[in-house]
Amino acid sequence: MSTSFYHTELSKALSEQAFGLARFDICRSSSPHEATASVTLLEGRTIRITLTARGYQLDGDQIFESIEGLLQAVSAAYEGRRREALFSRLRSLS
């Protein structure tokens, strides 16, 4: 079975945000129209994120347009790490 677009995109999105996560695992999916991951936040809490054509869905509930928006909404530690990474990149430009 080939990897679906959603599986690839969710894996790529979470990999890009790995600096602000404790870990993530992409779950096997029976549908090519979605992908789900188990994500452990820096605070230790584990959430499930599903990517579909509608966006990034948190634990089968609220939908977000971006993975960053979802993670900012659920993890203060992620937001702190994201800010640190941004400031670090800005300092390297000057």
Side-chain angles (χ1 to χ4, degrees):
M1 184 172 128
S2 65
T3 304
S4 78
F5 167 80
Y6 296 101
H7 183 279
T8 302
E9 285 301 304
L10 183 58
S11 181
K12 193 182 313 180
L14 289 170
S15 293
E16 291 171 357
Q17 304 306 312
F19 62 85
L21 304 172
R23 68 172 287 139
F24 70 90
D25 297 296
I26 306 294
C27 306
R28 293 189 83 141
S29 176
S30 58
S31 170
H33 305 291
E34 68 178 39
T36 300
S38 174
V39 177
T40 304
L41 304 173
L42 293 173
E43 295 89 345
R45 184 172 142 224
T46 300
I47 60 173
R48 289 181 67 82
I49 298 173
T50 301
L51 176 61
T52 67
R54 294 172 39 204
Y56 295 91
Q57 191 168 20
L58 174 63
D59 292 324
D61 192 24
Q62 189 173 1
I63 297 175
F64 295 82
E65 289 183 14
S66 71
I67 193 70
E68 295 90 347
L70 185 153
L71 293 170
Q72 286 172 315
V74 297
S75 174
Y78 165 81
E79 177 56 19
R81 288 268 178 96
R82 190 177 85 74
R83 239 188 335 263
E84 287 172 19
L86 176 62
F87 290 142
S88 176
R89 281 181 288 206
L90 289 172
R91 279 192 299 274
S92 72
L93 294 175
S94 56

